[in-house]
Amino acid sequence: MDLKQLKALSVLGWNFGLHLLRAAVPRRQEDQAEKFRSYFRPDRITSFTPEEHRAILEFESCTLCGICSSHCRVMATSAGKFLGPEHLAASASRSQPEFASDAPSLYLCAVCGQCEPDCPEQVPVARMAMHMRSMIRRVAPAVMPQPIQAAAHNLAQHGNIYGQAPALALPRRPDAEFTLFLGCRERMAPERVQQRLKLLERLAIRVTGVDESCCGGVPETLGLDPPPAVSEKILAAGPKKVLTVCPHCTEALRRNPALKDKVEVSHLAEILAERIPSGTKARDIPTPVAFHDPCHLARGCGLIQEPREVLRRLGVELKEMAESGDRAPCCGAGAGLALKDPALGKEVARSRLADARAADAKTLITACAGCRDLLGSARQDSDPAVMMLEDILAD
Ligand code: SF4
Ligand code: SF4
């Protein structure tokens, strides 16, 4: 027997002796589960709700391969401020969350889902970010960035994150085919509301107004409590079809369980693609154009061909950008990114305008007011003009 074997044998003998001793001495009965929990109390370890626990099990399928991190425009633009989806996945699934240290990066995720189509494990990265934010709201609300706290306050007080009253009440029409749901951003702008109403009238699309409140889409991305049920108002409005102009509203209302199978929700791009005849006159705009796919339209609702069909019917030449359709990056406005870090939001928007320039587009078209506003505010003289899809139709 060599020295190593002798050492191992003596450790084994020592432990065996200890075991016999412990078995021989009677011990006080304790609530072992309580004792186990007590170890963690000083660390303030967060308890999960059953739903949160189920979600975490799903997130654990992430293998931390890092593929997603090479498909995140926000990460690529943020110069290290946003640690990216792989880091987010590790925080959400591998250990107890460290809210205070996770928050600065977490709230820079645009919840856009650009990183998801290439994930080999189909990990719902955007949902992970929402999950973490919702836990922060529940467990450590003081960690929420100030603009998100203000949005939460506005939502509770005014029913929308902007804290403003709607610009005007839409007319009610008993013969309407659609309930028109404008969304919080657009219904605050009277001129744009009137433009939309005029356009719909010209196309003989009969709409009625509804006493709108937030659809719940944006609050969900910020991890905030959903606003009071919008579904009852929509159901009470009458029509079995809802026409939305905001992709986020489209996605949120389609996913709303109280509306499922009761109303059909369509985005304006879908209706235009169906109803405007080929050869309809377009406004005289600089061409060719590029189309920026809003995240919630392309990935959220799968509406990728519809806006392109509108352009085709109008005879407008389209140049595709390098990343488009379900691979399109966020414009920079997603999920409070531009609220939390306006400079980064604008930088992301500038990178999208650069994509349009690289595609030789003279006008950048989109179908989301949030994208239009941020891309429009970030553009410089050398960049293409930014327009909404419906605004290309001639008066
Ligand atoms: S989320 Fe998907 S792509 Fe990203 S690290 Fe995890 S498994 Fe890889
Ligand atoms: S959801 Fe968007 S911003 Fe968030 S990690 Fe994925 S690509 Fe990046």
Side-chain angles (χ1 to χ4, degrees):
M1 183 180 298
D2 64 16
L3 192 62
K4 217 168 158 188
Q5 286 169 323
L6 194 66
K7 257 183 164 175
L9 207 61
S10 50
V11 170
L12 193 65
W14 170 254
N15 281 317
F16 184 65
L18 270 181
H19 171 73
L20 289 178
L21 201 65
R22 282 200 196 108
V25 178
R27 283 191 296 162
R28 192 166 55 87
Q29 287 297 312
E30 288 179 290
D31 180 343
Q32 295 301 319
E34 183 54 33
K35 189 173 178 192
F36 176 80
R37 281 194 290 272
S38 75
Y39 294 152
F40 293 95
R41 275 187 194 136
D43 297 336
R44 299 207 175 283
I45 283 187
T46 309
S47 61
F48 296 127
T49 64
E51 294 75 35
E52 286 165 350
H53 196 255
R54 269 195 295 279
I56 286 166
L57 292 179
E58 186 186 359
F59 304 156
E60 278 174 355
S61 61
C62 169
T63 58
L64 302 182
C65 68
I67 292 173
C68 50
S69 292
S70 52
H71 297 279
C72 171
R73 179 68 64 96
V74 180
M75 184 181 176
T77 315
S78 77
K81 272 201 271 184
F82 177 46
L83 301 174
E86 184 190 359
H87 180 268
L88 204 151
S91 308
S93 67
R94 291 301 197 274
S95 58
Q96 280 280 324
E98 293 284 345
F99 295 129
S101 56
D102 284 336
S105 175
L106 171 67
Y107 282 94
L108 296 180
C109 171
V111 188
C112 65
Q114 188 198 7
C115 55
E116 291 180 4
D118 290 292
C119 168
E121 303 297 329
Q122 287 93 46
V123 175
V125 177
R127 199 138 53 75
M128 284 199 293
M130 293 192 278
H131 166 90
M132 294 274 284
R133 291 174 182 187
S134 150
M135 281 191 80
I136 286 179
R137 194 247 316 132
R138 182 174 71 79
V139 178
V143 168
M144 294 195 301
Q146 205 287 322
I148 311 292
Q149 295 195 25
H153 173 81
N154 287 337
L155 194 63
Q157 296 296 312
H158 306 281
N160 64 73
I161 62 163
Y162 304 107
Q164 291 175 21
L168 65 166
L170 294 187
R172 305 295 199 262
R173 288 184 62 167
D175 64 338
E177 181 185 1
F178 293 95
T179 299
L180 179 61
F181 195 91
L182 290 163
C184 297
R185 181 182 283 264
E186 286 302 80
R187 73 196 155 95
M188 309 294 173
E191 205 179 305
R192 293 203 296 264
V193 174
Q194 294 295 4
Q195 278 169 359
R196 293 254 166 62
L197 289 175
K198 261 170 68 184
L199 171 71
L200 294 171
E201 203 168 303
R202 260 184 29 234
L203 296 172
I205 299 172
R206 298 183 316 277
V207 296
T208 188
V210 61
D211 178 20
E212 270 189 44
S213 55
C214 174
C215 68
V218 173
E220 187 186 20
T221 63
L222 302 177
L224 302 180
D225 282 331
V230 68
S231 49
E232 285 146 34
K233 294 175 181 173
I234 289 179
L235 292 173
K240 298 280 175 262
K241 294 184 194 173
V242 178
L243 178 58
T244 56
V245 297
C246 163
H248 218 146
C249 298
T250 317
E251 187 187 2
L253 296 180
R254 281 184 178 183
R255 285 198 288 112
N256 186 322
L259 296 176
K260 208 167 171 49
D261 303 326
K262 295 196 179 121
V263 291
E264 189 185 319
V265 182
S266 305
H267 186 270
L268 181 59
E270 284 178 278
I271 301 301
L272 294 179
E274 270 171 34
R275 304 214 181 168
I276 55 170
S278 280
T280 299
K281 199 166 160 9
R283 204 170 261 175
D284 192 14
I285 57 167
T287 54
V289 305
F291 183 73
H292 168 71
D293 294 87
C295 307
H296 296 279
L297 194 70
R299 281 183 290 273
C301 300
L303 299 174
I304 294 170
Q305 290 316 314
E306 288 74 1
R308 289 166 174 79
E309 175 62 15
V310 175
L311 295 172
R312 194 191 66 73
R313 289 185 180 214
L314 292 171
V316 174
E317 186 192 352
L318 171 70
K319 293 267 191 179
E320 289 291 1
M321 292 183 279
E323 289 178 311
S324 59
D326 70 350
R327 300 299 203 270
C330 173
C331 66
L337 170 58
L339 279 179
K340 164 86 195 332
D341 190 332
L344 176 57
K346 214 162 232 188
E347 210 41 54
V348 175
R350 291 220 36 75
S351 81
R352 194 54 170 156
L353 288 160
D355 291 348
R357 282 202 315 274
D360 204 23
K362 302 291 182 278
T363 306
L364 180 58
I365 309 288
T366 190
C368 166
C371 301
R372 173 205 58 202
D373 289 350
L374 186 61
L375 290 165
S377 71
R379 72 175 288 280
Q380 294 170 349
D381 289 347
S382 55
D383 289 321
V386 178
M387 283 181 83
M388 287 289 270
L389 183 69
E390 58 268 32
D391 292 342
I392 321 174
L393 274 100
D395 288 333

